[in-house]
Amino acid sequence: MAAVRADEIPVPRGRPRPVARLRTWLDRESVLGPVLVTPAMLLLVLLVAYPFVMALYFSLSNAFIGRPSHFIGIRNFVHLWDSDAFRQTFQNAFVFTGIAVAFKLVMGISLALLLNEQLWFKRMIRGAVLLPWVIPTALSTLGWWWMFNSLYSVVNWTGIALGVMDPPGPNWLGQKYYAMAAVVTVNVWRGLPFFAITILAALVAIPRELYEAAEADGANANARFWHITLPLLKPVLAVVVLFSTIFTFSDFNIVYILTHGGPINSTHLFATLSRMLGLEVGRIGEGAAVSLYLFPLLAFVVWAQLRFVRKQAY
Amino acid sequence: MPVARRPLMKRVLIHLGLLPFLIFALFPFYHMTLTSLKKDRELYDRHAVPLIIRQGPTLEHYSKLLWETEFLTWTKNSLMVTILATGISVVIGTVAAYALARLRFVGVSSFGTGIFVTYLVPTSLLFLPLAQVVNWLGLADSKWALILTYPTFLVPFCTWLLMGYFRTVPKEVEECAMVDGATRIQALWRIVLPIAIPGLVCAVLFAFTLSWNEFIYALTFTSSSEQLTASVGVTSELIRGDIYFWGSLMAGAILGSVPIVILYVFFLDYYVSGLTAGAIK
Amino acid sequence: MGSVNRREFLTATGAGLAGILAAGVPPARGQQREISYLCWNNFAPNSDKKLAEIGQRFTKDTGIKLKIDHISHMGPQQNKYASEVQTQAGHDMVEMRMHFPWLYEPQLVDVSDVVAELEKKYGKALSSSYEGAHVNGVWRAVPQYHGMFVATYREDLFKKASLKVPDTWEELYVVGKELKKMGNPVGIPISQNYDSISTAGPVLWSFGGMEVDKDGKTVRINSPATVQTIEWYKKMFRDCMEPEVLSWSDASNNESIQQGKAGWIHNPVSAYIVAKQRKLVTADGINHHRSLGGPHGRHETDTPRHIGIWKFSKNIEASKEWIRYLLGKRETYDEYIMAGDAFNLPVYEKLQDHPVLRTDPKYAALRGEGVQYHTYGWPAPASDKVQLITNSYILPNMIAKAVTGTSTKDSIAWAETEMKKILAG
């Protein structure tokens, strides 16, 4: 049956012609498409693209709260490198992201493999595993803040009780490397479910026959994992890692609540330093410049995603 | 060993292997709840055992939170912001997703890429300039600023999620409808959407969760006690100077998560399938 | 806030008030005036309740509607001032603390007239209020009250070991050694927080030192007084304190003394008050003594709070009326202070020996006889560069370096370089 074009449908009499014309006009793909996409585009242009340009403008000026601003070129970007705090932040961002994503990846794959098996209470277990990701990060980080408290830390109490720590146990949030360990732990705790469940979905999609054939050929569990599972997981792993890198690199909540960037800037990330400089000190220009250092990584991830992964998407 | 037993051993081992993960995931919640129910005297006693309550539970932290702070107002604000932002975003996202998944028109792939890219622009990059925009619009220190800005990250996400679902609706269904005289819009409304309801539910759930979870915009665009959302209120107003009200902080963290947990318990499968859908792309 | 006959709003309730109101404010016929005041969540919750009460009486007496909003002193507060300034809209009055009037000088109304009246009644405002609110020759905010640091110690332990209550930083070292041997070390944080700066400052000032000079431009950290300060901290760290102080937060010293560990801390009265409220075992043993002095006087950190009026306000005169109502009448001011349970103390000379200090014998030391109060960065005027020096924690970082192995000379040189960089940039 031949498809009938929308504008060939007879218009019933008595209907006002403009409305009918509008409807048929709207029915064309080339018109309806842009119309339906417009609200989204408008929103994103006005509230994402435009502010992004503004951030660029701020970073190139000496904007300060409540005072007129002047263009100063790239002085902010250069000046930042003189600052101890910024150099530390730059290092922190990569250390934090690198370690956290690595942990999430390895633990995520392990957890997904376990979840893929036949389980009792499957639904409850999956629910429990996903819980940290669902609960608002700011609120769950409060719980971790208490858990790492210098005097009352339950982590220390448990460590001492089990004999793995000497009393009184480290001051997690007050000492350089321990603080980084603490924020990484919370980030991994919060992000692991995302990795695990997503990888699990991909695991489920791997046809059993592949494994059965390999087993028949004499491959043991180890070999099956490295030669079948991992290669087939690669596309999903790439997506998840790239997404996670962006969100971990630009994280704000955890560091802000747990350490506020301390001790001595050893846990500051671009987001928290940007807020401190921009809103607490008042130097909006410098704050914007700090946040724009996120951009290169963002651009790289977007490029990587678009090039390697978006084959099926659009 | 009898064949029937080996799988059992293996199963037990697998569950044992899961145990550390489960403890890791759930312990913080257990501890938070416990702390919120402990009496101050036991809470601030360094020699007490933090894993159990010995001196009897108390509801004083909860009552302090509910009656002596503006917690109920903050929760109301969170609900209002989240419901409105979710509603707006799902509507905008649905129509955009349909267009991008189904229709051919000039620039469809650029629009698609554009929406995808915006999702990756972090809120921590945009919050400073957006603060200015919000000020210009006269929405400074107001939850309306949040209702306006949350869709910027909810819409791309919903669009992307729903595109996947729309693609699973067979084209023939729509074409049949159009042959029968329906316009595209009618086809969308009457045929495609009902089929995509699981996807819509998913989008609503995720939008709700992401919105409830949002922190940096809320922290920046609202300041007065009565405009704050739950997360910001609990994290800033239960600390006065150098006095931390830990019991109430934990109580606030628990109660502030309640709406999400309720949704989660009822719609767990949708959450899982939503994340799953992301993986299969 | 009941309805008031608009023609009667000029009814005054006190001599001073009547005189001020009659000074030419035209009756706002057919218009009910409304003003708004943004203030902080007070450490003493009763103080907020009392403020609301006084506000309602104000409306009844003057017919001016008053809306009081509260804000947390943490995150939200910073954006609030910023956004009100940027949008040139918001509250009429804002509560400011310490040097904020310097940051927002161009936006604040000149309130020298109100302050002059208050000073005539109550004596001069304390040095720290003057430093914080008197900007470039003009009062930009009206001093209200302050919370100050004071020595908080375990009186019971001192008595048990027959230790002398110290009066100078040197004497603290002597008792500190004994305290550490008893297992109750001194607790002074040396980390990136305000408590650290709040102790390092007074010690430095008491030895005659300073970070930046009165002119606000010359860095003076490289001086013998700084050397003395660092040497003092080094021996304190070695003999009287434990290494954990290097990672303390603002609440850590409170918690340490409340928990029975620390024998002596430097803190506002919050540590004691909270111990009392939570009925902790240590509450009875905690007491305060006068701030310590040194060869160059007795200096102490405090956190004064003032009320400022934004220039963009359309109700400047009405706002001044509110301030005069709250602070101008002795009875009302006293009521307000009493509700603060010694967290907030008046900042005018003649009011220093306030009845609130007698509500608990342990507040006696808060009278601060002979103590000079300053805010961070004294004696340099609190320009934003000087404030950035404070907010970058250069002083505590310098001390932290010195007590953990860097030589005194190098630590001071580092601090000098950092401060010069900030002043130049």
Side-chain angles (χ1 to χ4, degrees):
Chain A
M1 205 149 99
V4 176
R5 277 199 14 241
D7 49 62
E8 283 171 2
I9 298 170
V11 176
R13 267 173 222 230
R15 274 247 194 104
R17 303 233 333 144
V19 173
R21 288 255 297 273
L22 184 68
R23 290 177 93 214
T24 51
W25 180 70
L26 264 182
D27 214 39
R28 291 162 61 160
E29 279 186 73
S30 52
V31 172
L32 188 61
V35 165
L36 290 184
V37 173
T38 299
M41 288 312 284
L42 216 61
L43 177 77
L44 297 176
V45 164
L46 291 177
L47 294 178
V48 177
Y50 175 59
F52 183 77
V53 172
M54 271 179 75
L56 270 171
Y57 170 70
F58 281 143
S59 66
L60 298 172
S61 75
N62 65 355
F64 193 98
I65 291 184
R67 300 183 198 169
S69 62
H70 310 283
F71 182 78
I72 56 170
I74 60 168
R75 225 177 72 181
N76 281 333
F77 290 97
V78 172
H79 189 59
L80 279 173
W81 285 103
D82 284 335
S83 149
D84 229 5
F86 179 74
R87 288 196 302 267
Q88 181 70 46
T89 304
F90 194 86
Q91 180 188 310
N92 293 343
F94 286 95
V95 168
F96 175 73
T97 308
I99 299 182
V101 173
F103 266 102
K104 283 187 276 195
L105 182 64
V106 170
M107 285 171 75
I109 295 179
S110 316
L111 185 52
L113 286 171
L114 284 170
L115 290 173
N116 197 20
E117 301 286 338
Q118 290 211 309
L119 297 172
W120 302 310
F121 309 114
K122 192 170 205 147
R123 209 162 168 270
M124 264 176 65
I125 291 183
R126 263 203 268 163
V129 161
L130 196 49
L131 199 60
W133 189 82
V134 170
I135 301 291
T137 312
L139 299 179
S140 51
T141 307
L142 282 178
W144 280 98
W145 198 19
W146 177 238
M147 281 170 66
F148 282 128
N149 181 279
S150 56
L151 270 182
Y152 307 103
S153 165
V154 67
V155 173
N156 287 352
W157 186 92
T158 315
I160 295 174
L162 290 176
V164 294
M165 281 183 198
D166 292 320
N171 182 343
W172 290 96
L173 303 177
Q175 290 174 267
K176 248 174 88 131
Y177 299 113
Y178 287 100
M180 179 55 87
V183 292
V184 166
T185 303
V186 180
N187 183 280
V188 169
W189 175 83
R190 195 267 310 259
L192 179 60
F194 173 65
F195 272 73
I197 300 287
T198 311
I199 297 175
L200 174 65
L203 274 179
V204 163
I206 299 180
R208 275 207 125 45
E209 299 81 52
L210 286 176
Y211 289 119
E212 284 162 14
E215 202 169 354
D217 280 347
N220 63 9
N222 217 0
R224 289 202 300 274
F225 174 73
W226 287 103
H227 296 290
I228 300 182
T229 314
L230 212 47
L232 286 177
L233 279 182
K234 277 214 175 102
V236 170
L237 290 181
V239 174
V240 164
V241 165
L242 285 175
F243 262 85
S244 180
T245 303
I246 276 281
F247 288 115
T248 308
F249 202 65
S250 58
D251 193 41
F252 176 80
N253 303 6
I254 295 178
V255 172
Y256 182 77
I257 292 177
L258 222 48
T259 59
H260 223 88
I264 318 181
N265 304 319
S266 59
T267 53
H268 250 314
L269 296 178
F270 289 116
T272 47
L273 186 67
S274 164
R275 183 176 197 279
M276 195 198 86
L277 277 177
L279 294 180
E280 289 182 32
V281 175
R283 299 185 164 195
I284 301 187
E286 275 188 37
V290 171
S291 69
L292 277 174
Y293 271 93
L294 287 171
F295 183 65
L297 189 80
L298 163 72
F300 169 73
V301 167
V302 169
W303 171 83
Q305 287 272 38
L306 291 179
R307 249 201 93 185
F308 294 111
V309 178
R310 251 182 84 243
K311 300 180 211 115
Q312 329 93 314
Y314 305 106
Chain B
M1 224 199 293
V3 177
R5 265 181 145 226
R6 258 193 271 128
L8 183 63
M9 258 304 269
K10 187 169 175 239
R11 274 216 199 177
V12 168
L13 281 176
I14 287 175
H15 285 83
L16 279 180
L18 275 173
L19 203 58
F21 287 103
L22 289 174
I23 296 179
F24 184 49
L26 296 177
F27 181 76
F29 299 118
Y30 169 69
H31 194 243
M32 280 160 72
T33 313
L34 204 70
T35 306
S36 69
L37 294 170
K38 259 193 191 175
K39 294 209 178 100
D40 261 340
R41 224 188 149 122
E42 189 181 355
L43 198 54
Y44 294 104
D45 180 359
R46 266 200 317 171
H47 304 291
V49 178
L51 296 178
I52 49 172
I53 297 182
R54 278 224 190 111
Q55 295 181 18
T58 170
L59 287 176
E60 64 183 3
H61 302 303
Y62 284 95
S63 66
K64 182 175 190 329
L65 180 74
L66 290 172
W67 313 129
E68 291 180 34
T69 66
E70 307 215 27
F71 183 76
L72 291 172
T73 307
W74 304 332
T75 306
K76 201 177 52 125
N77 291 341
S78 279
L79 275 172
M80 191 175 140
V81 169
T82 299
I83 291 177
L84 287 177
T86 299
I88 295 174
S89 306
V90 171
V91 167
I92 297 183
T94 304
V95 295
Y98 178 72
L100 290 172
R102 275 291 198 252
L103 305 179
R104 282 172 312 224
F105 52 95
V106 171
V108 57
S109 71
S110 335
F111 279 140
T113 312
I115 290 188
F116 173 71
V117 169
T118 13
Y119 183 54
L120 293 180
V121 179
T123 51
S124 44
L125 207 169
L126 297 173
F127 76 100
L128 269 181
L130 266 182
Q132 306 301 312
V133 172
V134 158
N135 283 343
W136 288 338
L137 293 173
L139 294 175
D141 191 21
S142 152
K143 46 191 183 281
W144 292 99
L146 302 178
I147 297 175
L148 179 72
T149 50
Y150 277 14
T152 56
F153 56 89
L154 295 177
V155 162
F157 183 83
C158 290
T159 308
W160 176 67
L161 189 71
L162 287 167
M163 272 173 64
Y165 276 95
F166 283 142
R167 287 216 188 88
T168 65
V169 175
K171 266 192 157 50
E172 298 76 46
V173 165
E174 273 169 276
E175 282 166 8
C176 267
M178 290 198 301
V179 161
D180 283 346
T183 61
R184 284 190 189 279
I185 298 183
Q186 285 172 330
L188 167 65
W189 180 246
R190 298 213 189 115
I191 312 287
V192 180
L193 281 186
I195 297 181
I197 280 190
L200 288 173
V201 171
C202 231
V204 166
L205 281 176
F206 272 86
F208 195 94
T209 306
L210 287 176
S211 171
W212 196 268
N213 190 13
E214 205 286 326
F215 189 68
I216 192 173
Y217 283 175
L219 184 65
T220 309
F221 304 156
T222 60
S223 326
S224 307
S225 296
E226 43 177 44
Q227 295 290 328
L228 303 177
T229 56
S231 303
V232 179
V234 170
T235 51
S236 21
E237 301 230 343
L238 290 170
I239 303 167
R240 293 197 176 201
D242 52 3
I243 307 173
Y244 291 63
F245 295 97
W246 285 109
S248 299
L249 272 167
M250 294 300 111
I254 297 282
L255 286 186
S257 312
V258 159
I260 290 290
V261 171
I262 293 178
L263 275 184
Y264 183 61
V265 164
F266 283 112
F267 293 103
L268 174 61
D269 300 313
Y270 284 98
Y271 275 98
V272 175
S273 75
L275 282 174
T276 301
I280 315 279
K281 301 269 160 287
Chain C
M1 314 209 191
S3 60
V4 173
N5 184 327
R6 288 172 191 128
R7 283 155 223 228
E8 287 172 350
F9 89 90
L10 278 172
T11 305
T13 46
L17 202 48
I20 292 160
L21 286 175
V25 179
R29 285 171 175 264
Q31 229 183 52
Q32 182 175 46
R33 287 185 292 171
E34 211 177 296
I35 53 177
S36 57
Y37 174 35
L38 179 68
C39 66
W40 302 50
N41 286 331
N42 208 298
F43 297 165
N46 285 334
S47 177
D48 284 339
K49 293 197 189 110
K50 178 58 72 173
L51 186 67
E53 213 187 296
I54 300 179
Q56 286 173 344
R57 296 197 324 236
F58 170 74
T59 303
K60 256 218 293 250
D61 292 341
T62 63
I64 305 174
K65 263 187 88 171
L66 173 66
K67 180 168 190 292
I68 303 180
D69 282 325
H70 291 276
I71 197 171
S72 151
H73 76 291
M74 300 189 69
Q77 156 253 321
Q78 290 126 358
N79 341 311
K80 188 55 177 167
Y81 291 167
S83 71
E84 292 207 348
V85 157
Q86 301 237 271
T87 49
Q88 290 290 292
H91 295 80
D92 294 290
M93 295 167 282
V94 282
E95 185 178 13
M96 298 207 154
R97 68 173 202 163
M98 302 177 82
H99 322 101
F100 285 20
W102 284 78
L103 265 184
Y104 297 105
E105 180 198 1
Q107 318 286 339
L108 293 169
V109 168
D110 179 354
V111 287
S112 307
D113 49 351
V114 180
V115 180
E117 289 158 30
L118 294 174
E119 284 195 316
K120 210 154 73 164
K121 277 190 115 176
Y122 304 135
K124 286 204 120 0
L126 296 183
S127 46
S128 50
S129 297
Y130 181 86
E131 289 155 22
H134 186 94
V135 185
N136 293 327
V138 169
W139 284 98
R140 290 285 169 195
V142 181
Q144 227 195 139
Y145 57 77
H146 69 156
M148 78 280 257
F149 275 72
V150 74
T152 308
Y153 72 115
R154 286 288 302 281
E155 193 179 27
D156 53 339
L157 294 175
F158 271 63
K159 288 215 173 99
K160 200 165 77 169
S162 309
L163 294 175
K164 172 177 181 287
V165 175
D167 198 44
T168 66
W169 297 104
E170 265 307 315
E171 287 177 13
L172 176 64
Y173 173 67
V174 172
V175 274
K177 276 196 291 188
E178 300 306 314
L179 284 173
K180 183 169 178 181
K181 287 194 201 128
M182 286 163 57
N184 297 97
V186 170
I188 299 175
I190 307 176
S191 54
Q192 283 199 293
N193 59 23
Y194 285 101
D195 273 359
S196 302
I197 308 178
S198 304
T199 310
V203 175
L204 182 64
W205 296 327
S206 304
F207 281 122
M210 58 181 82
E211 290 167 279
V212 176
D213 211 333
K214 278 207 289 278
D215 60 4
K217 297 203 184 79
T218 324
V219 174
R220 290 244 181 266
I221 194 73
N222 198 343
S223 68
T226 312
V227 174
Q228 280 184 294
T229 307
I230 292 192
E231 292 306 320
W232 181 87
Y233 261 99
K234 271 176 147 162
K235 65 183 186 190
M236 287 295 294
F237 184 74
R238 189 188 59 218
D239 301 328
C240 315
M241 304 201 285
E242 282 179 14
E244 61 174 354
V245 300
L246 285 171
S247 47
W248 270 9
S249 71
D250 273 333
S252 305
N253 57 352
N254 299 44
E255 289 174 354
S256 185
I257 201 172
Q258 284 161 359
Q259 271 310 293
K261 180 151 184 209
W264 189 101
I265 63 171
H266 188 226
N267 203 66
V269 75
S270 48
Y272 169 65
I273 293 185
V274 167
K276 235 185 1 175
Q277 283 171 354
R278 291 187 182 146
K279 305 198 188 48
L280 301 179
V281 242
T282 44
D284 290 330
I286 298 179
N287 202 344
H288 311 101
H289 68 75
R290 198 168 59 143
S291 302
L292 299 171
H296 282 258
R298 199 173 296 268
H299 301 273
E300 186 58 280
T301 307
D302 75 340
T303 52
R305 292 209 191 164
H306 349 274
I307 307 181
I309 307 177
W310 290 130
K311 273 193 182 147
F312 61 71
S313 159
K314 301 203 179 43
N315 300 294
I316 296 179
E317 280 313 311
S319 303
K320 287 189 182 176
E321 275 183 57
W322 161 241
I323 299 178
R324 290 185 177 114
Y325 189 89
L326 179 66
L327 304 176
K329 256 197 333 161
R330 182 68 197 265
E331 297 83 55
T332 319
Y333 194 2
D334 276 348
E335 229 188 304
Y336 185 37
I337 296 288
M338 292 299 286
D341 193 20
F343 269 118
N344 314 320
L345 296 174
V347 284
Y348 295 97
E349 253 173 22
K350 296 199 192 141
L351 301 178
Q352 286 308 294
D353 187 14
H354 199 270
V356 76
L357 295 175
R358 290 190 263 287
T359 58
D360 187 331
K362 300 203 173 163
Y363 295 152
L366 299 175
R367 225 168 306 160
E369 286 134 6
V371 180
Q372 281 181 58
Y373 293 107
H374 311 289
T375 48
Y376 306 135
W378 181 79
S383 67
D384 56 273
K385 287 190 181 154
V386 168
Q387 290 188 49
L388 186 55
I389 290 180
T390 303
N391 296 331
S392 310
Y393 305 108
I394 297 180
L395 195 55
N397 281 344
M398 171 186 80
I399 298 174
K401 282 185 199 280
V403 301
T404 50
T406 315
S407 78
T408 306
K409 193 157 93 70
D410 288 339
S411 315
I412 300 183
W414 173 84
E416 193 182 22
T417 319
E418 290 296 307
M419 291 186 191
K420 285 192 169 147
K421 257 200 277 182
I422 291 184
L423 286 184

